[in-house]
């Protein structure tokens, strides 16, 4: 048994040695080839990195650093590094919590003798003044990203809003906004969207397509704080769904009618999927506000230009 088993072992031992030598040569050759390939490719890519990288990359980096990442030069950085954010031309950008004025108007037409109806000419003068002062109008998404994510916005940012959604907003305010290249938000009451008093669905769609934010002001404009939670929820949900079905865009902001709300309103706003809610309390919208109780600035049609300028300049957080 032993001899029989030993002799085959000796034979295989010899051939094993032979195989081992040739295997070593093979492995050594393979390692040599791999090492050569590594040297060649590493050297080339290293040369490439010297040749190309320091150029545009480091210039862009230096540029960004020299601008503190705040002031963006639209010619070199915007398209490449700032994504999903509007190019704010050459505006000085800020991220700190100084806040944003959110103006609110209502009806825009001639001569009604009430303070919530401004003449188209007065509105045009006020918006022109805002533009001449270097303000840039923000969408509510831009305001939201500034408040929630500290996204940069122009130092002189402003939000223009109109409550109730009157049909005259389309006839009288929309042409002025287009002419001045501004955006704005309309908080719509959704009970009668037939174009007779409140906006028509067609007008809403056209303005939304242009870039006007169409947001909610409830279905029936009730004093929310006098309703049960369930009724409030219905007002908030139904108006949201109606507007979303017209614009095809998400409605995630609401202005409380009359600025009246209670804890249930805030809960209902959250529960029905709103992110921002606006009151009528005077102040800038900033991160110290509850995001569902944001301050705004009322603009009465009784204000002359100097009062308007004063209100805009002196409203604080
Ligand atoms: Zn209202």
């Amino acid at each position: 048994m032993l001899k029989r088993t030993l002799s085959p072992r000796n034979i295989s031992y010899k051939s094993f040695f032979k195989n081992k030598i040739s295997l070593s040569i093979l492995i050594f050759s393979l390692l040599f080839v791999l090492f050569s390939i590594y040297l060649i490719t590493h050297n080339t890519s290293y040369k490439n990195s010297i040749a190309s990288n320091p150029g545009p990359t480091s210039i862009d980096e230096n540029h960004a650093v020299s601008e503190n990442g705040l002031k963006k030069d639209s010619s070199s950085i915007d398209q490449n590094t700032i994504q999903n954010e509007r190019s704010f031309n050459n505006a000085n950008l800020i991220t700190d919590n100084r806040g944003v004025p959110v103006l609110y108007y209502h009806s825009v037409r001639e001569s009604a003798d009430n303070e919530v109806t401004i003449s188209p000419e007065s509105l045009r003068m006020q918006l022109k003044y805002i533009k001449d002062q270097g303000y840039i109008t923000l969408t509510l998404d831009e305001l939201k990203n500034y408040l929630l994510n500290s996204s940069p916005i122009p130092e002189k940012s402003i939000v223009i809003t109109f409550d109730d959604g009157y049909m005259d907003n389309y006839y009288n305010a929309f042409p002025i906004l287009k002419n001045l290249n501004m955006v704005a938000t309309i908080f719509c009451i959704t009970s009668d969207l037939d174009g007779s008093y409140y906006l028509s669905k067609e007008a809403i769609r056209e303005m939304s397509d242009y870039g006007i934010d169409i947001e909610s002001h409830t279905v029936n404009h009730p004093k929310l704080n006098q309703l049960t939670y369930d009724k409030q929820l219905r007002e908030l949900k139904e108006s949201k769904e109606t507007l979303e079905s017209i614009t095809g865009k998400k409605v995630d902001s609401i202005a409380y009618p009359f600025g009246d709300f209670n804890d249930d309103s805030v809960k209902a706003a959250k529960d029905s999927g709103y992110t921002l809610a606006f009151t009528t309390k005077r102040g800038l919208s900033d991160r110290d506000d509850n995001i569902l109780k944001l301050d705004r600035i009322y603009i009465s049609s009784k204000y002359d230009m100097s009062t308007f300028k004063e209100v805009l300049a002196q409203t604080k957080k």
Side-chain angles (χ1 to χ4, degrees):
M1 283 290 284
L2 272 175
K3 278 187 180 177
R4 272 181 195 176
T5 50
L6 270 175
S7 65
R9 259 197 181 179
N10 280 340
I11 292 166
S12 70
Y13 218 58
K14 278 181 184 172
S15 70
F16 173 69
F17 256 105
K18 275 186 186 171
N19 284 342
K20 198 183 175 188
I21 288 164
S22 54
L23 194 71
S24 303
I25 291 168
L26 189 73
I27 288 171
F28 182 77
S29 315
L30 206 68
L31 281 174
F32 181 76
V33 169
L34 284 173
F35 185 63
S36 308
I37 289 171
Y38 168 76
L39 275 182
I40 290 165
T41 54
H42 180 74
N43 197 32
T44 313
S45 69
Y46 180 61
K47 275 181 188 164
N48 281 344
S49 76
I50 289 174
S52 63
N53 283 350
T57 307
S58 68
I59 286 167
D60 273 355
E61 278 164 5
N62 288 339
H63 190 84
V65 167
S66 73
E67 304 275 16
N68 280 333
L70 296 178
K71 184 180 179 184
K72 292 177 288 173
D73 181 341
S74 59
S75 64
S76 61
I77 299 186
D78 280 0
Q79 299 89 337
N80 304 324
T81 52
I82 308 298
Q83 294 187 341
N84 300 322
E85 280 175 24
R86 187 152 58 121
S87 155
F88 289 117
N89 296 321
N90 292 315
N92 283 316
L93 301 186
I94 58 107
T95 56
D96 63 42
N97 190 28
R98 70 186 69 180
V100 176
V102 180
L103 310 187
Y104 73 102
Y105 297 91
H106 294 82
S107 184
V108 184
R109 65 189 153 84
E110 288 304 337
S111 78
D113 190 26
N114 69 65
E115 63 169 289
V116 293
T117 301
I118 191 170
S119 74
E121 184 52 22
S122 297
L123 179 71
R124 196 195 63 77
M125 280 170 59
Q126 291 181 4
L127 296 184
K128 175 85 167 44
Y129 170 77
I130 286 169
K131 185 151 190 116
D132 291 345
Q133 288 295 301
Y135 280 99
I136 291 170
T137 50
L138 299 187
T139 65
L140 287 194
D141 264 348
E142 287 162 348
L143 177 69
K144 181 174 72 184
N145 286 329
Y146 162 72
L147 292 174
L148 290 177
N149 309 319
S150 297
S151 298
I153 54 167
E155 190 176 24
K156 283 193 156 186
S157 287
I158 195 164
V159 175
I160 311 293
T161 71
F162 297 87
D163 280 12
D164 302 342
Y166 295 108
M167 190 60 196
D168 62 35
N169 287 184
Y170 174 75
Y171 291 128
N172 300 326
F174 186 42
I176 298 170
L177 292 164
K178 279 195 290 191
N179 186 255
L180 294 171
N181 197 24
M182 288 174 149
V183 293
T185 298
I186 303 180
F187 292 107
C188 299
I189 298 166
T190 60
S191 57
D192 299 295
L193 296 174
D194 60 6
S196 54
Y197 189 59
Y198 297 122
L199 286 162
S200 67
K201 291 174 182 166
E202 294 72 27
I204 286 177
R205 205 171 290 126
E206 186 185 332
M207 291 193 287
S208 173
D209 289 348
Y210 168 81
I212 302 293
D213 282 320
I214 301 297
E215 306 289 343
S216 170
H217 198 43
T218 73
V219 180
N220 300 298
H221 206 268
K223 285 178 179 293
L224 287 171
N225 57 356
Q226 296 177 2
L227 300 183
T228 62
Y229 168 80
D230 286 342
K231 282 184 176 165
Q232 293 195 44
L233 188 68
R234 204 176 309 149
E235 284 282 345
L236 270 53
K237 262 190 160 170
E238 284 179 14
S239 54
K240 187 177 195 291
E241 286 163 7
T242 300
L243 294 170
E244 285 176 345
S245 74
I246 297 170
T247 64
K249 296 178 185 171
K250 193 169 187 292
V251 168
D252 70 355
S253 301
I254 183 158
Y256 301 123
F258 309 104
D260 287 334
F261 63 94
N262 57 17
D263 290 347
D264 278 346
S265 321
V266 174
K267 185 177 185 317
K270 197 182 284 176
D271 292 347
S272 39
Y274 291 97
T275 312
L276 304 181
F278 293 88
T279 69
T280 54
K281 184 168 168 280
R282 182 182 286 186
L284 305 180
S285 277
D286 66 276
R287 293 179 204 125
D288 299 333
D289 295 343
N290 181 322
I291 196 101
L292 293 170
K293 299 179 190 177
L294 292 166
D295 297 338
R296 290 193 292 170
I297 303 173
Y298 175 59
I299 305 298
S300 164
S301 64
K302 304 289 182 194
Y303 293 170
D304 57 15
M305 271 312 282
S306 66
T307 311
F308 173 77
K309 291 175 189 175
E310 204 179 294
V311 167
L312 183 59
Q314 294 186 359
T315 301
K316 306 283 178 234
K317 293 204 286 183

